[in-house]
Each structure stands twice: as C-alpha cells, then as structure tokens.
Amino acid sequence: MNLKNLNRSTKSNIITFGIVIGFYLLIQILSAAGMVTNSFAGQLVPICAYVVMAVSLNLTVGMLGELSLGHAGFMSVGAFAGTLVWVTLYDTAFPKPAALLLAFVVGGVVAGIFGFLVGIPVLRLSGDYLAIVTLAFGEIVKNFMNACNLGIDSKGLHFSLKDTASLNLDADGKVLINGAMGITGIKKASTFTIGIVLVIITLAVIINLVNSRAGRAITSIRDNEIAARSVGIPITKYKLMAFVTSAVFAGMAGVLYSLNYSSLVAKKFDYNTSILILVFVVLGGIGNLRGSVIAATVLTVLPELLRSMNDYRMLIYAIVLIVVMIFNQSPQMIAMRKRLTARFRKDAAGKAPKKNKKEAA
C-alpha cells in the first residue's frame, strides 16, 4: 500500500490502528521474553477498557460537542448486565465462548437502551445543564446498584431493595447481586487479546461513523446547531445516534472491566471514574481519537510507574497532566505545532523533486 496516494484522514486512521496493533505485538513479545511484570500485566485489561471508554466518550464530547459526566453510569449498567449473563450461564452446558460473546452483546444493548431512555429528555439540554443531569444519572445508577438484591431459584427471579433475606429464595436458590457487595464469585474471562479486539472494533465503528454522512451531520450540529436545523438536519435523531453509540461501547467496556475481577461492586463506577475518562478525552485532544487512545494508556500506567516515589507520586502525576494540557490546549503551542508541521511538509516536498532528478540522471 502506497501511503502517498492516501488522503490525510485515511493515513491518520491507519496510524491509529497501527499504534494499537503495534502495542499488542510489543506486549506479546515482551511477555514471551518474561519482561512483563505481574503488576503491569494486571493493568492491560483495564487499559483496554479505559481506551474504549475514552474513544466512545470522545464521540459525545468531541464529535457531538456535548459535555457528559455520566459515562461511568453506562459502564456500570453494561457491566452488571453482562456479568449477570456470564455468571448465570457459566455453570450450564452453554458454550463458554458463546456465553462470553452474549455477555458483551447484552452489556452493550442494555447500556444502549439506557442511553436512549436518558438521551431523549437529556439531549434537549446543553452545556452545564446536560453535564449535571448526566452526572445525576451516574450517581442514581451507583446508589441503586448498592441497594439492589437479586436472586434466582426454581420459581424465577427475586428482587429486593432491603436485603438478601427479603428475597425469600428456596433452598436451591442463588444470590446474584448482594447489595453493596455486588456480584461475587465471578469466573475471570477477560484477556488482553479480547480487550484489543474490542478496542479495534470500537475504533472501526466510531471512525466509520465520523466519516459517514451521519458523522458529518453530527459535527455540523456541534459547529452550529441553528444552521444545521435550518438546512433540515434532524437534530434529535443524530444527537441520539451519537449518544446511544457512545453508551453501547461504554457498556461493553464495563463488561470487559468487570470480567477481569472476581467481584463487581457499584462503587467502582462512581463520579471519579466519569471525571477520569473525561480527563483522558481532554488531554488526548477533544475530537482526536488517536489522542484518546494514547492518553488513556499513558495515564493509566503512569500512577503505577510512579508508585515507588510514594508521597511525590500524585504531585508528579498532576504536573504531567498540567504540562500535557498546556501542550494540547495552549494557542501558542497549537500555533507552534502547526508551524513545525508546515515546515516539515515544505522540506519534504522540496526534497522530493531533487531525488527524482538524480534518479532521472
């Protein structure tokens, strides 16, 4: 494939996929050589989950231009739905690969349904109001799951917001969700390979959506909603499309994250998680999918790498965040990067003819 014949967008997408695949191959090589520590190996699946979360949130924040602080809520809904499917089917004759695939599908679908239900009233708002309502959604989900008790026996499902004793299960009954303790006894199923596959699927779907006719309609709504409405673009339809798509992949990321541990509790998906994902999006560049991938990876690994510095660890982490923010958002830095890029392209264009003359001679 000749990269010179491709447009800038296609080149950028190829580089993004190349970074993801290259990272996967590098980890496999280092793992085979015994150079990957147990601590870092334990972070690989969460890294993939956070990358999917950051890329999917960038669709709402970067492409649609709406500030959402409830992404952890969709992650939580998908995680609990998918994990319930996995826990229920694991001890049956249902094939394990099919059960795992079904868990991801159910997690994504349930999160998408919640995204649709929340999006219908919420997307009529904008700015701070939208952020506040989506934040409230995430907190409602967390508090509801903390109080939720769910069990199953020969009579079917039993639900209670009090305690497990109120479920009145038969002797053969099984508690699926135990209030604040969540789901326990989960058989781990998530792997780094599954995580990378989910990252690639997420990037492929969102990149194709952004470059499609619907994607151009979404970005036009971000740039000027009044102008988009005046030319007949259905605002609600495309806002819901972006919001629901973002929620679906957040739900799948939740399943990937939850099946990496033996227990699942709602407090893992609190307000701080939503803010963390938003930090990934902002530092990687709003609307920049490749930046979201890199930022989510680096900022997930960085605190662990700085753990040996004890008291100075979070100070250094904060300084890195500030420096990256200045580099990405400062008008002076943006102008400098544009000048350097233009000079590089000019030099490359100037060298090409000379090379051709020598070859012709």
Side-chain angles (χ1 to χ4, degrees):
M1 180 184 295
N2 189 357
L3 293 178
K4 294 182 179 180
N5 297 330
L6 301 176
N7 59 42
R8 187 180 303 177
S9 176
T10 304
K11 288 180 182 178
S12 177
N13 295 337
I14 291 175
I15 292 173
T16 301
F17 284 107
I19 290 173
V20 174
I21 296 172
F23 177 69
Y24 174 74
L25 294 177
L26 176 63
I27 295 300
Q28 295 301 319
I29 293 172
L30 294 177
S31 179
M35 300 175 64
V36 176
T37 63
N38 292 332
S39 175
F40 183 72
Q43 289 186 300
L44 293 176
V45 171
I47 285 173
C48 294
Y50 285 136
V51 167
V52 173
M53 289 289 289
V55 171
S56 61
L57 182 60
N58 213 339
L59 178 61
T60 300
V61 176
M63 307 305 173
L64 183 59
E66 300 289 358
L67 180 59
S68 173
L69 295 180
H71 218 49
F74 298 119
M75 187 183 187
S76 177
V77 168
F80 274 92
T83 304
L84 281 176
V85 171
W86 173 249
V87 170
T88 304
L89 295 179
Y90 186 85
D91 294 326
T92 66
F94 203 82
K96 298 298 184 293
L100 183 60
L101 179 61
L102 184 60
F104 277 98
V105 172
V106 170
V109 170
V110 171
I113 292 173
F114 273 85
F116 179 79
L117 295 176
V118 172
I120 291 176
V122 165
L123 291 176
R124 297 179 183 274
L125 307 172
S126 61
D128 297 339
Y129 300 102
L130 176 63
I132 291 171
V133 174
T134 52
L135 171 62
F137 165 73
E139 290 301 300
I140 289 170
V141 170
K142 185 192 73 172
N143 291 323
F144 176 81
M145 296 311 302
N146 275 332
C148 178
N149 294 276
L150 184 68
I152 187 172
D153 58 16
S154 57
K155 297 178 182 178
L157 292 173
H158 298 256
F159 173 78
S160 174
L161 292 176
K162 295 182 179 180
D163 50 38
T164 53
S166 302
L167 295 175
N168 296 320
L169 295 174
D170 293 340
D172 62 341
K174 178 181 179 182
V175 176
L176 298 177
I177 303 179
N178 188 6
M181 294 179 62
I183 303 176
T184 57
I186 302 172
K187 304 297 183 182
K188 297 182 182 180
S190 294
T191 63
F192 182 47
T193 301
I194 294 175
I196 289 294
V197 170
L198 183 58
V199 169
I200 292 175
I201 292 174
T202 304
L203 284 170
V205 171
I206 293 181
I207 286 174
N208 277 285
L209 175 60
V210 170
N211 294 328
S212 67
R213 181 180 179 182
R216 291 189 291 272
I218 291 171
T219 53
S220 69
I221 294 172
R222 175 198 64 190
D223 295 336
N224 193 321
E225 183 174 332
I226 296 175
R229 191 185 302 274
S230 67
V231 296
I233 294 178
I235 304 298
T236 303
K237 171 186 174 182
Y238 287 113
K239 278 189 173 183
L240 273 176
M241 180 183 296
F243 198 71
V244 170
T245 303
S246 179
V248 166
F249 285 107
M252 290 186 175
V255 178
L256 177 70
Y257 185 87
S258 65
L259 296 186
N260 188 50
Y261 301 98
S262 58
S263 63
L264 173 64
V265 293
K267 67 180 181 180
K268 289 184 178 180
F269 312 105
D270 58 3
Y271 166 76
N272 293 324
T273 303
S274 291
I275 295 299
L276 179 64
I277 303 302
L278 184 61
V279 167
F280 294 156
V281 173
V282 173
L283 292 184
I286 295 177
N288 186 344
L289 298 181
R290 188 196 310 165
S292 296
V293 173
I294 297 173
T297 303
V298 173
L299 295 181
T300 302
V301 175
L302 187 59
E304 190 64 30
L305 295 178
L306 298 174
R307 188 171 295 278
S308 60
M309 297 184 180
N310 297 326
D311 296 338
Y312 300 100
R313 179 169 62 96
M314 296 311 297
L315 175 62
I316 296 173
Y317 182 73
I319 292 174
V320 171
L321 293 182
I322 293 171
V323 171
V324 175
M325 178 73 75
I326 293 173
F327 182 78
N328 277 339
Q329 305 299 330
S330 171
Q332 291 83 1
M333 295 301 297
I334 293 174
M336 185 183 72
R337 292 205 308 271
K338 287 183 178 179
R339 287 197 300 269
L340 291 175
T341 302
R343 183 180 299 175
F344 174 79
R345 288 175 180 166
K346 183 178 180 181
D347 292 342
K351 291 178 181 179
K354 294 180 181 179
K355 185 177 179 181
N356 291 335
K357 288 180 181 179
K358 290 180 180 180
E359 290 177 354

